[in-house]
Amino acid sequence: MRCAGSSCSVLTRWSRRTCAVRGRIRPGAAGAGRRRARRRRDFRGFYFDTALSSSPAALPTLLAFARPGHVLFGSDWPFAPAAAGQYFTNGLDSGVGPGTLSAVNRTNAEALFPRLAGAPTPAPARPLPVRLRQSAQRAGAHLFFKLIQPGTN
């Protein structure tokens, strides 16, 4: 899985540099167009996530480039600030149609990981002391992350 925000530029530079060093693709060389097309086809076959890539400029480009079904929801949390993640998630929610949104958020991942596509099984009821302890742990973790990233909810 590649983060769409960074991978395309890296892959493009890698391809150009590798081909230039090896002398494989020279403008006007026989077969240069076919090799470029094959590399582009190979790059399109990667799976991309939407982490920090759902801006009005990047998202349509990503959806046009990647093969259908190869774009999945992703975020860079906790490595990116929560505000950035919210911005890009809002961009995804408002930047595509409902069918594409459903595919990116769930359907594409279910096709890639079929064993995860089944209906979730209900969790067994836990004893009250366990639920209280877990609730206290969640509250502590929430407070910790608020201290690390002020201004988040």
Side-chain angles (χ1 to χ4, degrees), residues 53-77:
S53 304
S54 301
S55 68
L59 185 60
T61 305
L62 171 63
L63 293 172
F65 175 76
R67 286 187 185 151
H70 283 229
V71 178
L72 296 92
F73 177 80
S75 76
D76 275 346
W77 186 88

Side-chain angles (χ1 to χ4, degrees), residues 3-120:
C3 173
S6 63
S7 66
C8 289
S9 61
V10 170
L11 290 172
T12 302
R13 277 182 279 167
W14 169 81
S15 176
R16 286 184 184 156
R17 187 174 32 240
T18 302
C19 294
V21 168
R22 294 182 181 166
R24 291 183 137 173
I25 297 180
R26 293 180 302 277
R34 285 190 308 274
R35 288 187 206 115
R36 276 193 289 269
R38 186 176 65 236
R39 283 191 177 83
R40 193 172 341 177
R41 185 185 66 237
D42 291 345
F43 291 157
R44 288 184 68 222
F46 287 157
Y47 284 87
F48 298 91
D49 67 35
T50 60
L52 307 182
S53 304
S54 301
S55 68
L59 185 60
T61 305
L62 171 63
L63 293 172
F65 175 76
R67 286 187 185 151
H70 283 229
V71 178
L72 296 92
F73 177 80
S75 76
D76 275 346
W77 186 88
F79 303 107
Q86 188 63 45
Y87 169 79
F88 286 104
T89 300
N90 290 341
L92 178 64
D93 291 344
S94 63
V96 298
T100 302
L101 182 63
S102 175
V104 169
N105 282 341
R106 184 167 183 99
T107 311
N108 294 345
E110 288 176 341
L112 184 60
F113 304 106
R115 66 183 176 85
L116 302 177

